[in-house]
Amino acid sequence: MKKIIAFIMSMMFIFGAMTVTSNAVDGIENTNVVTCGDTDYIFESGVSADVQQRVIADICGECDEDEASTYGLMCTLFGHKLETSTTSAITHKVNASDPRCLKKTYNYSICTRCDYAETTLISQHYISCC
């Protein structure tokens, strides 16, 4: 009886491990990489090109903080309708020795009705990729 239970438990463990592995592979394939200079920005595949450009401009500091942003009536009355996600920015060849590349992870929130955008740095660390 113990052998049967051990066999069933080992089969459950093997099938469970295979499921986790296939989900990790699917997550890697569902990304979109945008290159700007020496930096690669990695977005999820469902993010539109307009949102990608707004996030990249906000991260690079190309957005002028003194510019007047447009607020619609809906945002004034009901608040922003935010689209929130994360992105990674990999800057290549930052250091002369290994690990050379700097990976920064950002959390961004963009309003779909007006120009409001907020980007927050979550983490940064050096990686070996070049």
Side-chain angles (χ1 to χ4, degrees):
M1 186 69 171
K2 289 182 182 180
K3 289 183 180 182
I4 294 172
I5 293 174
F7 178 75
I8 291 173
M9 293 297 285
S10 63
M11 287 296 137
M12 289 175 55
F13 176 74
I14 290 171
F15 287 122
M18 288 179 9
T19 304
V20 171
T21 305
S22 67
N23 286 340
V25 170
D26 291 341
I28 293 171
E29 293 174 355
N30 293 329
T31 59
N32 186 15
V33 179
V34 177
T35 303
C36 181
D38 289 341
T39 305
D40 291 338
Y41 297 93
I42 303 169
F43 293 94
E44 295 175 1
S45 63
V47 180
S48 68
D50 181 45
V51 171
Q52 292 175 3
Q53 293 304 319
R54 287 176 62 186
V55 170
I56 291 171
D58 196 28
I59 291 172
C60 292
E62 295 174 1
C63 295
D64 189 12
E65 297 296 328
D66 295 334
E67 262 184 40
S69 61
T70 59
Y71 273 51
L73 182 60
M74 294 293 287
C75 291
T76 304
L77 294 175
F78 301 111
H80 296 292
K81 183 178 177 185
L82 296 176
E83 177 181 310
T84 303
S85 188
T86 59
T87 186
S88 296
I90 300 175
T91 306
H92 298 285
K93 300 178 183 176
V94 175
N95 287 336
S97 61
D98 198 37
R100 296 178 67 175
C101 303
L102 178 63
K103 180 178 181 180
K104 294 181 180 181
T105 304
Y106 294 94
N107 187 18
Y108 65 87
S109 300
I110 293 180
C111 181
T112 58
R113 296 185 274 206
C114 69
D115 289 343
Y116 176 79
E118 180 181 11
T119 306
T120 307
L121 178 65
I122 298 173
S123 68
Q124 66 178 14
H125 58 278
Y126 288 94
I127 60 172
S128 297
C129 74
C130 294

